[in-house]
């Protein structure tokens, strides 16, 4: 909420190209973006509503199509991997839903600045608002899918225990990564229009090399040690392990934290350096 | 105290998709004035070149010049959309810009939702936006259409809503593009009144226009831009005397 400014205080905007104070401006952009979260939330909500305008089920289609997908893949792959459905399907439900959250967050990150071109070139807004809008929209989509995990757990009688509370910091890490990706990929895709398709194909490969439909136990034990090097696996484990294994190893959490820190640092460095160019790129 | 101080500001638009070297050479040879290669050997359009001026409280400035002279780019720079690549710019005072009225309008949302959205864009709260809605709808003559998606509006209704939303503010520094003075005659009478109030309440007006009558009627000072440079700056009567 903006406090009413005292009559004497006049907003002053000063910019000196010889001393751009990029770091301070990037931090101010992030701070102002966070203060304007209501705008980002309103835009995210309108995005979702417009996407399902005129549809009877609306965003429930998200839930329904994920449920159908889980049902189909669950029985098929349980048979292929020769695992009991009751053991495989809870794993698949958690993995696939988390993967969808991550993959859509990454995919939509690419368009988060170019999609807001009309606004960026007309209204002086903190650019982080657009990244925040993207994260919030994906959080809303996730909120339509995550409850399916509870349904699957109920059907198959999986009780995660108190360790499940660790999903909250886990989801927080995913949100942080989604925000960093929105800033970084949003800028990269605005400047280099080929990055979007590249990201798409990378995510497709990542889907197969990350344990989503297959369990890590199927890997050779030596190869399994390499899994924390996969950032998608590392971050996913912070939500999946609390639900399925009651917490997850400290190593998994360390890997996830390190990846998130590295990702955030790269995104912030890039944002600080090139923030002023965004209006020219989109 | 509202004030604008520009010291040698330049804006360059990079043209990223001109990679081919031969094309680059040809372009550079053909247009020696505004296209040039920057330090990183990219082709850039020099949209504004080394502008210095000061606008003090009470001044009403008309930006005149041909299409492409840099008028709108200068307005956007003053609004804070573009960061200059060189020079220093200081803008003191709350800035309100009437550059593109429809920016940020969501065609699938209702008039009321758009008004609230615009309030949020401007940094107000949703409640303040709701409070503005009735006044804006009354001015724009929306009536029962206030709660209908903007997509269903007639073109005139659309323009009126955009105008009413954009002008529901009291800035100290008002930046305006000339489209604001175009519209259907009946509405323009009402619009003129509202604009006049906005202008007289603002400490500074910067108006980009082609229309010399408007410039003479509204402004005290004129700045003529040509190819991104200031070629004349002075009282309206002097600068526009030739036209």
């Amino acid at each position: 909420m903006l406090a009413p400014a005292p009559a004497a205080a006049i907003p002053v905007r000063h910019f000196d190209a010889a001393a751009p104070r990029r770091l301070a401006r990037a931090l101010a952009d992030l701070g102002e973006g966070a203060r304007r979260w209501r705008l980002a939330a309103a835009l995210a909500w309108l995005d979702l509503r417009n996407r399902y305008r005129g549809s009877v089920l609306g965003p429930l289609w998200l839930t329904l199509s994920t449920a159908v997908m889980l049902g189909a893949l669950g029985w098929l792959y349980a048979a292929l991997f020769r695992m009991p459905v009751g053991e495989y399907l809870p794993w698949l439900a958690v993995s696939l839903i988390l993967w969808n959250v991550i993959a859509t967050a990454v995919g939509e990150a690419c368009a988060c600045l170019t999609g807001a071109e009309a606004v960026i070139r007309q209204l002086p807004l903190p650019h982080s608002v657009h990244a925040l809008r993207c994260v919030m929209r994906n959080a809303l989509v996730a909120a339509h899918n995550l409850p399916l995990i509870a349904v699957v757990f109920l059907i198959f009688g999986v009780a995660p225990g108190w360790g499940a509370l660790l999903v909250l910091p886990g989801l927080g890490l995913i949100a942080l990564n989604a925000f960093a990706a929105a800033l970084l990929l949003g800028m990269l895709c605005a400047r280099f229009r080929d990055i979007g398709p590249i990201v798409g194909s990378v995510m497709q490969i990542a889907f197969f090399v990350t344990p989503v439909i297959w369990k890590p136990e199927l890997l050779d034990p030596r190869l399994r040690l390499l899994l924390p090097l996969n950032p998608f696996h590392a971050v996913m484990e912070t939500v999946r392990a609390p639900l399925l294994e009651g917490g997850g190893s400290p190593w998994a959490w360390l890997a996830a934290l390190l990846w998130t820190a590295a990702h955030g640092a790269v995104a912030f460095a890039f944002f600080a350096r090139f923030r002023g160019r965004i209006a020219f790129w989109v | 105290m509202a004030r604008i101080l520009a010291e040698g500001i330049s804006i360059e638009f990079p043209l990223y998709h001109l990679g081919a070297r031969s094309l680059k050479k040809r372009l550079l040879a053909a247009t020696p004035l505004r296209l040039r290669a920057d330090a990183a050997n990219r082709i850039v359009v020099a949209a504004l070149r080394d502008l210095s001026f000061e606008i003090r409280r009470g001044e009403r400035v008309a930006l005149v010049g041909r299409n492409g002279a840099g008028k709108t780019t200068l307005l956007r720079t003053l609004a804070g959309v573009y960061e200059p690549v060189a020079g220093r710019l200081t803008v003191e005072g709350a800035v309100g810009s009437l550059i593109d009225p429809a920016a940020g309008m969501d065609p699938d949302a209702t008039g009321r939702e758009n008004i609230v959205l615009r309030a949020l864009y401007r940094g107000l709260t949703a409640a303040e936006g709701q409070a503005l809605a009735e006044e804006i709808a009354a001015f724009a003559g929306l009536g029962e259409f206030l709660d209908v998606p903007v997509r269903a509006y007639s073109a005139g209704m659309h323009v009126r809503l955009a105008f009413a939303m954009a002008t529901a503010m009291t800035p100290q520094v008002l930046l305006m593009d000339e489209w604001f003075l175009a519209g259907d005659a009946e509405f323009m009478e009402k619009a003129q009144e509202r604009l006049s109030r906005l202008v007289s309440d603002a400490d500074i007006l910067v108006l980009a226009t082609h229309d010399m009558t408007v410039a003479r009627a509204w402004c005290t000072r004129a700045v003529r831009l040509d190819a991104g440079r200031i070629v004349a700056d002075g009282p309206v009567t002097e600068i526009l005397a030739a036209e």
Side-chain angles (χ1 to χ4, degrees):
Chain A
M1 203 76 52
L2 288 173
I10 284 185
V12 175
R13 185 158 44 80
H14 180 73
F15 180 81
D16 184 351
R21 296 189 307 123
R22 293 198 176 104
L23 198 63
R25 279 169 192 279
L27 287 171
D29 186 308
L30 292 178
E32 181 64 19
R35 236 187 332 274
R36 306 280 292 270
W37 68 270
R38 275 168 228 271
L39 171 62
L43 289 169
W45 187 75
L46 279 176
D47 281 343
L48 201 64
R49 203 191 62 178
N50 291 348
R51 207 180 280 178
Y52 291 96
R53 194 167 49 101
S55 136
V56 177
L57 286 184
L60 282 180
W61 275 114
L62 294 166
T63 319
L64 202 65
S65 60
T66 311
V68 170
M69 174 108 162
L70 280 179
L73 288 190
W75 268 273
L76 173 66
Y77 279 92
L80 283 178
F81 292 136
R82 295 171 204 291
M83 275 185 221
V85 173
E87 190 187 316
Y88 179 70
L89 213 124
W91 153 271
L92 183 75
V94 178
S95 303
L96 199 63
I97 287 171
L98 284 180
W99 176 264
N100 283 343
V101 169
I102 293 172
T104 32
V106 170
E108 290 186 7
C110 290
C112 81
L113 291 177
T114 47
E117 175 201 12
V119 171
I120 291 177
R121 287 163 58 108
Q122 303 296 348
L123 303 170
L125 274 182
H127 294 303
S128 49
V129 162
H130 307 295
L132 200 57
R133 169 192 192 172
C134 181
V135 173
M136 286 183 159
R137 183 174 60 228
N138 280 299
L140 283 175
V141 172
H144 283 88
N145 284 327
L146 290 172
L148 274 178
I149 294 179
V151 174
V152 171
F153 277 21
L154 272 178
I155 293 174
F156 292 98
V158 181
W162 287 108
L165 285 179
L166 280 171
V167 295
L168 294 177
L171 288 173
L173 276 184
I174 291 185
L176 271 180
N177 277 294
F179 183 70
L183 279 185
L184 183 62
L185 290 176
M187 292 178 75
L188 280 174
C189 293
R191 171 64 186 86
F192 302 102
R193 300 298 166 111
D194 299 300
I195 302 275
I198 294 175
V199 169
S201 54
V202 166
M203 289 308 287
Q204 218 157 29
I205 298 167
F207 174 72
F208 291 106
V209 299
T210 306
V212 178
I213 46 179
W214 49 274
K215 287 186 154 192
E217 290 87 87
L218 293 172
L219 272 187
D220 183 288
R222 273 168 304 166
L223 279 177
R224 213 181 302 158
L225 290 177
L226 296 179
L227 274 180
L229 295 181
N230 176 342
F232 297 108
H233 175 73
V235 173
M236 245 162 92
E237 270 302 285
T238 59
V239 179
R240 186 164 56 191
L243 286 176
L244 294 170
E245 294 152 27
S249 75
W251 293 114
W253 279 90
L254 184 66
L257 285 173
L258 286 177
W259 274 115
T260 307
H263 186 195
V266 170
F268 180 72
F270 201 75
F271 182 62
R273 173 63 186 83
F274 293 109
R275 197 188 56 84
R277 305 301 300 160
I278 291 176
F280 296 98
W281 285 348
V282 291
Chain B
M1 184 110 84
R3 188 174 75 122
I4 299 175
L5 178 64
E7 298 164 274
I9 54 169
S10 296
I11 293 277
E12 290 177 348
F13 287 99
L15 299 178
Y16 289 111
H17 308 293
L18 295 179
R21 192 153 263 207
S22 56
L23 179 62
K24 216 180 229 184
K25 270 189 191 150
R26 207 172 64 217
L27 274 169
L28 288 178
T31 53
L33 289 174
R34 294 186 85 186
L35 287 175
R36 62 181 194 82
D38 72 355
N41 206 27
R42 286 174 310 205
I43 303 252
V44 295
V45 182
L48 298 179
R49 298 187 284 183
D50 197 22
L51 303 190
S52 296
F53 53 86
E54 184 178 10
I55 302 176
R56 294 173 175 282
R57 182 171 184 193
E59 285 196 282
R60 308 271 177 262
V61 181
L63 295 177
V64 295
R66 281 189 306 228
N67 272 334
K71 300 187 297 287
T72 304
T73 304
L74 180 53
L75 283 185
R76 286 190 186 153
T77 308
L78 295 179
V81 171
Y82 296 136
E83 280 185 4
V85 289
R88 279 198 299 270
L89 174 67
T90 309
V91 179
E92 293 169 14
V95 177
S97 54
L98 305 179
I99 302 178
D100 178 358
M105 240 216 241
D106 185 337
D108 291 321
T110 66
R112 189 189 297 275
E113 286 167 338
N114 268 301
I115 294 169
V116 172
L117 197 59
R118 178 60 65 97
L120 289 171
Y121 267 124
R122 211 177 276 152
L124 306 175
T125 63
E128 286 169 301
Q130 289 288 3
L132 283 175
E134 297 301 333
E135 190 268 331
I136 289 178
F139 179 79
L142 293 184
E144 57 195 354
F145 277 87
L146 180 58
D147 290 303
V148 168
V150 168
R151 190 180 282 287
Y153 286 19
S154 68
M157 214 184 267
H158 202 277
V159 169
R160 293 202 298 273
L161 173 62
F163 179 90
M165 286 203 307
T167 49
M169 59 178 177
T170 47
Q172 291 159 310
V173 176
L174 180 62
L175 310 172
M176 200 191 318
D177 216 339
E178 65 175 350
W179 75 268
F180 263 91
L181 306 161
D184 62 88
E186 190 201 340
F187 179 63
M188 276 318 290
E189 250 168 64
K190 260 164 89 185
Q192 285 283 0
E193 199 185 299
R194 192 174 166 108
L195 267 186
S196 308
R197 186 152 27 93
L198 199 61
V199 168
S200 57
D201 285 353
D203 290 338
I204 288 179
L205 167 72
V206 183
L207 169 72
T209 183
H210 280 111
D211 187 340
M212 297 307 152
T213 337
V214 168
R216 285 202 183 88
W218 291 52
C219 300
T220 53
R221 172 180 168 189
V223 172
R224 183 181 296 283
L225 291 172
D226 185 43
R229 288 188 202 282
I230 295 180
V231 289
D233 182 354
V236 163
T237 43
E238 268 173 44
I239 303 297
L240 303 182
E243 323 232 354

